[in-house]
Amino acid sequence: MKKDYMAGLEGWARWMLPRREAEEVIADYREIAGDPELSQGLGRPRDAVRPLADKKAYRAWLAAFAAMAACILALGVSPTMIGYPFWRLFFDGWTGTYPYGAFIVTAFGAVTALAWFCRRGRREAVKPPIPKGLIAVLALLSVWIGLVFLFYWAVIRDLDGFLNMLGTMTTFIGPGNIVPRSTYLLQCTLCYVPLPVSLLAVYWLVRARTHDRRWAAAYILALTAILVSLETVAELTRMDVTATPYEISMRARLLQCTAVTVLGLLGTGVSLC
């Protein structure tokens, strides 16, 4: 019972209070919970922590968390909502266009995460080792981004072969919609993988608040991976292939993805410091 109570109290304290105050409260309650007489009057963990929280500071955290979560969820959901007017602010899969709204949302989410969690990092006298789970997550996200760049390299290296594939390997997906099977599978992967990753990124924000603020690095790299993926889907679904030669368009898109990735990696590195 004591273990369960303290686990709940630690979670709520780290969620509602600044890290230093949370650790002090947790230490005090460990002593109280260890005393049979004092522990009888303990209420629920959330009710015990709530009066100690500064309402203004806690509301500021909730607002920042809601904004960061909304940013990445908007990107994660947008490719699954193709055709709906609101989601065209972030991605329009019918025309292959990529509105600036996606870039603005990504930048806002990343800057908010850096501003919130790096401020806490500057106050740390001693930094513990980076969690192994975080290292694994960053590695997987990096592999995802690397595979997208591998696709660009393969297409640009053999553009004629890619264009021939567009004309031969086709899959019927609806009236007037015939695309290469391999391209269709790639589109589906890049459209639907961001959704579960965006949900995981919200969990990583919670981890950054309650466990180690460097989990914000996973959130920033997830933003980067999703944005690069949607850029690639926008290119694959570009309907007017006569307006811009494919080679020029692919190289331009690759430069955009490179710029996004470099900025994302810089933000990831800063959040790990």
Side-chain angles (χ1 to χ4, degrees), residues 64-65 67-68 107-117:
F65 174 76
M68 289 184 286
F108 181 80
V111 170
T112 303
L114 287 171
W116 188 273
F117 293 107

Side-chain angles (χ1 to χ4, degrees), residues 4-160:
D4 293 340
Y5 183 87
M6 286 306 302
L9 187 134
E10 289 176 10
W12 281 112
R14 289 169 179 160
W15 176 256
M16 301 180 73
L17 303 174
R19 177 52 63 93
R20 184 175 298 177
E21 295 179 19
E23 296 305 324
E24 292 175 355
V25 169
I26 291 169
D28 292 340
Y29 268 86
R30 282 201 181 100
E31 296 179 3
I32 295 174
D35 190 319
E37 295 183 3
L38 295 176
S39 62
Q40 292 179 358
L42 293 176
R44 295 186 304 173
R46 182 179 181 182
D47 295 336
V49 174
R50 183 182 294 171
L52 305 175
D54 182 281
K55 291 184 179 180
K56 185 177 180 180
Y58 182 52
R59 287 171 182 168
W61 156 244
L62 289 181
F65 174 76
M68 289 184 286
C71 285
I72 198 160
L73 288 175
L75 293 179
V77 172
S78 61
T80 67
M81 303 290 287
I82 291 175
Y84 290 84
F86 173 76
W87 298 107
R88 289 181 182 176
L89 293 172
F90 309 106
F91 175 73
D92 189 348
W94 291 122
T95 63
T97 57
Y98 200 75
Y100 287 108
F103 292 95
I104 295 172
V105 164
T106 302
F108 181 80
V111 170
T112 303
L114 287 171
W116 188 273
F117 293 107
C118 287
R119 180 184 60 184
R120 289 172 53 188
R122 289 193 295 267
R123 300 173 184 174
E124 295 177 353
V126 179
K127 294 182 176 65
I130 298 176
K132 293 182 179 179
L134 173 57
I135 295 174
V137 168
L138 294 178
L140 289 174
L141 291 172
S142 298
V143 169
W144 175 7
I145 296 173
L147 290 175
V148 173
F149 276 91
L150 181 63
F151 164 76
Y152 280 103
W153 174 81
V155 171
I156 293 174
R157 182 174 179 270
D158 186 14
L159 184 62
D160 291 337

